Amino acid sequence: MKSIIIASTSTLHGGNYLEYLLPVLETHFKNRKNVIFIPYARPGGISHDEYTKKAAEAFDSININLRGLHEFENPEEAIQNAEGFFTGGGNTFLLVTQLYKHKIMQALAEKVKSGTPYLGTSAGSNICGLSMQTTNDMPIIYPPSFQTLGLISFNLNPHYLDPDTNSQHMGETRETRIKEFHAFNSIPVLGLREGSWLEVKGEKITLKGNLKARLFKQNETPVELESESDLSNLK
Amino acid sequence: MKSIIIASTSTLHGGNYLEYLLPVLETHFKNRKNVIFIPYARPGGISHDEYTKKAAEAFDSININLRGLHEFENPEEAIQNAEGFFTGGGNTFLLVTQLYKHKIMQALAEKVKSGTPYLGTSAGSNICGLSMQTTNDMPIIYPPSFQTLGLISFNLNPHYLDPDTNSQHMGETRETRIKEFHAFNSIPVLGLREGSWLEVKGEKITLKGNLKARLFKQNETPVELESESDLSNLK
């Protein structure tokens, strides 16, 4: 039975890393002692070791041992043997490129679909959808494909931002960008605001957190979804 | 001798389409009666015909006849015979995909390098750089390559936005995104604010408009460049 947390962001303004999610994660990873951290989205600034250390400190507070996937000689084998996963944020183009390069996109998808608990934040959430095509990230590297894990039957837009009605900037709003996506793709897109997450339990998908989310479907007016909305049939 | 205008945006807040640029374009396209408009970046909303009509109305006011590239049976031939080009904004992933699909990326680059005047705004400016990897656009379609026209030896970030110091949003700022690009690429990136443009005359590249631009180089602190700065040696 699938067990997945798909969070808009790792960190809320003024909060510590993963702080707002820790009570949820304690239940989510219950009885799991060792979880694998996938640091590949990080495009520098800090190393994979440092990024893993930061995530491990948060997990340590709920008595879980986190180890970076980059520490394993055979990443595919590490995935097959894993008790749980956390994929952190960064750049989605880089994350997807690395998952293909290490030939683990499919292995990770299968392992999570078979019931191993997964947590994604930001870029780590983007890859839970059918494709990474509704990311906000800059194309700093050319991935072999935009296809991602397909753990759910729609796409995500993490860090969803409402249009700033006072702005004089002429660049596209997030809503306009998602509308552009729907000019060529029929996949629904869920705009997840910072502080929202999806809980996937088997085939049941529920919107969690205190905020509404914004759902975009091709050729339809976007709608606001209340917290606790059931998204199980969205596709 | 190259003759290129690379503008951050087509439209300033409160202004009409191309309005602020018209005096510049009158000189830029002097003695050119017919200019080809490349509408390919437009991801819907309006058709290529409608988009061309909008651009043609602006060009009509400076007595130039604009015709959409999509109207020609053989786009490569149309490019070979063109007296001038204007590539409008929209989605850069789409524009680049279309240029490769119609097999005109190279033909367009060669024609502009040989001296045919070119105007780009937004996505049409992005493609003037070495790659489209510093676009702000959403990856709504998978292009065969991120390589672009290479009319200048650096990359652009049009619609450059300064960080909003009051924001509580945890998504990456534009500056952070460009820094991520420089984790993997050594190409300099010029952040062009709305109202700025580059004038390329032969090998001379000059920053125009009233605003400063922000220059990002790998492993260096970004710097602000005054209007009229000479960028001829930037690479």
Side-chain angles (χ1 to χ4, degrees):
Chain A
M1 191 181 95
K2 280 192 286 193
S3 178
I4 308 168
I5 302 281
I6 302 171
S8 174
T9 185
S10 62
T11 314
L12 292 181
H13 183 78
N16 290 323
Y17 189 69
L18 293 180
E19 188 181 358
Y20 79 103
L21 276 175
L22 284 175
V24 175
L25 299 183
E26 205 162 2
T27 311
H28 185 61
F29 289 114
K30 203 175 174 176
N31 301 325
R32 310 279 160 161
K33 284 279 155 247
N34 299 289
V35 164
I36 286 189
F37 179 60
I38 303 179
Y40 294 154
R42 196 80 189 199
I46 59 174
S47 67
H48 287 167
D49 278 346
E50 289 165 327
Y51 193 22
T52 302
K53 192 172 165 232
K54 180 180 169 181
E57 280 167 9
F59 271 74
D60 192 49
S61 71
I62 53 169
N63 298 310
I64 290 170
N65 178 41
L66 209 67
R67 204 173 148 195
L69 184 56
H70 67 290
E71 299 169 39
F72 293 84
E73 206 168 308
N74 185 334
E76 188 173 347
E77 196 177 271
I79 283 172
Q80 308 290 5
N81 298 330
E83 293 176 45
F85 300 102
F86 168 34
T87 306
N91 182 290
T92 309
F93 289 86
L94 177 58
L95 173 59
V96 168
T97 301
Q98 292 287 312
L99 291 176
Y100 279 113
K101 186 182 152 196
H102 293 292
K103 299 186 170 52
I104 51 176
M105 184 70 87
Q106 202 186 333
L108 180 59
E110 284 170 6
K111 185 74 176 167
V112 178
K113 283 178 185 171
S114 74
T116 308
Y118 178 97
L119 164 67
T121 61
S122 194
S125 292
N126 250 320
I127 61 168
C128 294
L130 293 172
S131 83
M132 56 161 286
Q133 289 178 268
T134 48
T135 177
N136 312 309
D137 296 336
M138 205 171 247
I140 60 172
I141 193 164
Y142 185 72
S145 165
F146 284 161
Q147 301 308 300
T148 47
L149 297 171
L151 305 176
I152 52 176
S153 300
F154 51 94
N155 270 12
L156 278 313
N157 181 254
H159 300 284
Y160 181 74
L161 252 188
D162 293 290
D164 175 358
T165 48
N166 294 318
S167 173
Q168 302 202 339
H169 188 71
M170 301 300 285
E172 292 87 350
T173 64
R174 194 68 60 81
E175 180 155 331
T176 301
R177 293 171 194 280
I178 295 170
K179 204 172 168 186
E180 290 181 358
F181 172 74
H182 278 145
F184 298 93
N185 305 273
S186 60
I187 303 169
V189 180
L190 188 69
L192 269 184
R193 296 184 176 94
E194 293 176 349
S196 289
W197 67 94
L198 294 181
E199 178 196 86
V200 184
K201 287 280 175 200
E203 296 311 311
K204 191 165 165 66
I205 307 175
T206 313
L207 176 63
K208 295 286 184 179
N210 297 323
L211 305 170
K212 294 179 186 175
R214 194 161 179 86
L215 176 61
F216 301 85
K217 286 179 164 179
Q218 193 181 35
N219 303 325
E220 292 186 23
T221 305
V223 291
E224 290 288 320
L225 301 180
E226 301 286 340
S227 178
E228 297 298 331
S229 287
D230 185 343
L231 293 157
S232 313
N233 296 317
L234 181 61
K235 58 184 168 187
Chain B
M1 191 180 95
K2 280 193 285 194
S3 178
I4 307 168
I5 301 283
I6 302 171
S8 175
T9 185
S10 62
T11 315
L12 292 181
H13 182 79
N16 290 323
Y17 190 70
L18 293 180
E19 188 180 357
Y20 78 103
L21 275 175
L22 284 176
V24 176
L25 299 184
E26 204 163 3
T27 311
H28 185 61
F29 289 114
K30 201 174 174 178
N31 301 325
R32 310 278 158 160
K33 283 278 155 247
N34 298 290
V35 165
I36 285 188
F37 179 59
I38 303 179
Y40 293 154
R42 195 80 189 199
I46 58 174
S47 66
H48 286 167
D49 277 347
E50 289 164 326
Y51 194 21
T52 303
K53 191 172 166 232
K54 181 180 168 181
E57 279 167 9
F59 272 73
D60 191 50
S61 71
I62 52 170
N63 297 312
I64 290 170
N65 177 41
L66 208 68
R67 205 173 148 193
L69 185 56
H70 66 290
E71 298 169 40
F72 292 84
E73 206 167 308
N74 185 334
E76 188 174 346
E77 196 178 271
I79 283 173
Q80 308 291 6
N81 298 330
E83 293 175 45
F85 301 101
F86 168 34
T87 306
N91 183 291
T92 310
F93 289 86
L94 177 59
L95 173 59
V96 168
T97 302
Q98 293 287 312
L99 291 176
Y100 279 113
K101 186 182 151 197
H102 292 292
K103 298 187 170 51
I104 50 176
M105 184 70 87
Q106 203 187 332
L108 180 59
E110 285 170 7
K111 185 76 176 168
V112 177
K113 283 177 185 170
S114 74
T116 307
Y118 178 97
L119 164 68
T121 61
S122 194
S125 292
N126 250 319
I127 60 168
C128 294
L130 293 172
S131 84
M132 55 161 287
Q133 290 178 266
T134 48
T135 176
N136 312 308
D137 295 336
M138 203 170 252
I140 60 172
I141 193 163
Y142 185 73
S145 165
F146 284 162
Q147 300 309 300
T148 47
L149 296 172
L151 305 177
I152 52 176
S153 301
F154 51 93
N155 270 11
L156 278 313
N157 181 253
H159 299 285
Y160 182 74
L161 252 188
D162 292 291
D164 175 359
T165 49
N166 294 316
S167 173
Q168 303 203 339
H169 189 70
M170 302 299 286
E172 291 87 349
T173 64
R174 194 67 61 79
E175 180 154 334
T176 301
R177 294 173 194 279
I178 295 170
K179 204 172 168 185
E180 290 182 358
F181 171 75
H182 278 145
F184 297 94
N185 305 274
S186 60
I187 302 170
V189 180
L190 187 69
L192 268 185
R193 296 183 176 94
E194 293 176 349
S196 288
W197 67 93
L198 293 182
E199 177 196 86
V200 183
K201 287 280 175 201
E203 297 311 310
K204 190 164 168 69
I205 307 175
T206 313
L207 176 63
K208 294 287 184 178
N210 297 324
L211 305 170
K212 294 178 186 176
R214 195 161 178 85
L215 175 61
F216 301 85
K217 286 178 164 180
Q218 195 180 35
N219 303 325
E220 291 186 25
T221 305
V223 291
E224 290 288 320
L225 301 181
E226 301 286 340
S227 178
E228 298 296 331
S229 286
D230 185 342
L231 293 157
S232 312
N233 295 317
L234 181 62
K235 57 184 168 190

